[in-house]
Amino acid sequence: DVQLVESGGDSVQTGGSLRLSCAASGYTYSSYCMGWFRQAPGKEREGVAVIYTGGGNPYYADSVKGRFTISEDNAKKTFYLQMNSLNPEDTGMYYCAVVSLQDGMTALQALEEFGYWGQGTQVTVS
């Protein structure tokens, strides 16, 4: 079974940085994407960043471009979200997800519909 475990969430001050980690196991996909999502109280869950098999340009939400970086350590089966210049609008529960590539839909759609999800890690910026 696919299992994802997030870590690294914390409470930080405005302008600070955090590095979230997602340890993954139980998947053998040759083509896949991994992503980070977040959800604040009273708001819809939104896609933050996505990285694809074989590299290429990752996806970033407009609100985090230039501040967040998604990366992967394939040997450790772990992927990361480096978050810099944090502001209170970044507060929320952050989730990682993985899914095999799906024809006919975007990576965000595939992750939402078919992805495996972690339990989440809380990020609070004040």
Side-chain angles (χ1 to χ4, degrees):
D1 294 337
V2 177
Q3 296 185 63
L4 305 174
V5 180
E6 302 97 333
S7 62
D10 206 349
S11 297
V12 299
Q13 295 184 350
T14 299
S17 298
L18 285 173
R19 190 190 194 195
L20 306 184
S21 299
C22 178
S25 63
Y27 67 94
T28 58
Y29 308 131
S30 58
S31 299
Y32 61 89
C33 55
M34 293 180 172
W36 287 95
F37 293 73
R38 67 186 181 188
Q39 187 168 27
K43 295 184 178 180
E44 296 291 323
R45 186 171 62 193
E46 63 174 336
V48 175
V50 178
I51 192 168
Y52 307 93
T53 304
N57 293 328
Y59 162 84
Y60 295 102
D62 288 342
S63 60
V64 307
K65 286 180 179 178
R67 300 189 297 120
F68 290 12
T69 303
I70 187 171
S71 61
E72 178 184 18
D73 185 332
N74 183 261
K76 295 182 178 180
K77 296 295 184 182
T78 302
F79 66 108
Y80 307 94
L81 186 68
Q82 178 67 45
M83 306 185 294
N84 299 326
S85 301
L86 288 163
N87 59 65
E89 288 69 43
D90 296 314
T91 293
M93 185 71 74
Y94 283 69
Y95 302 89
C96 62
V98 62
V99 72
S100 60
L101 296 182
Q102 304 288 328
D103 291 336
M105 63 179 66
T106 67
L108 288 174
Q109 291 172 329
L111 287 163
E112 289 277 11
E113 184 69 23
F114 302 109
Y116 293 91
W117 296 80
Q119 81 289 348
T121 186
Q122 179 67 38
V123 172
T124 302
V125 186
S126 62

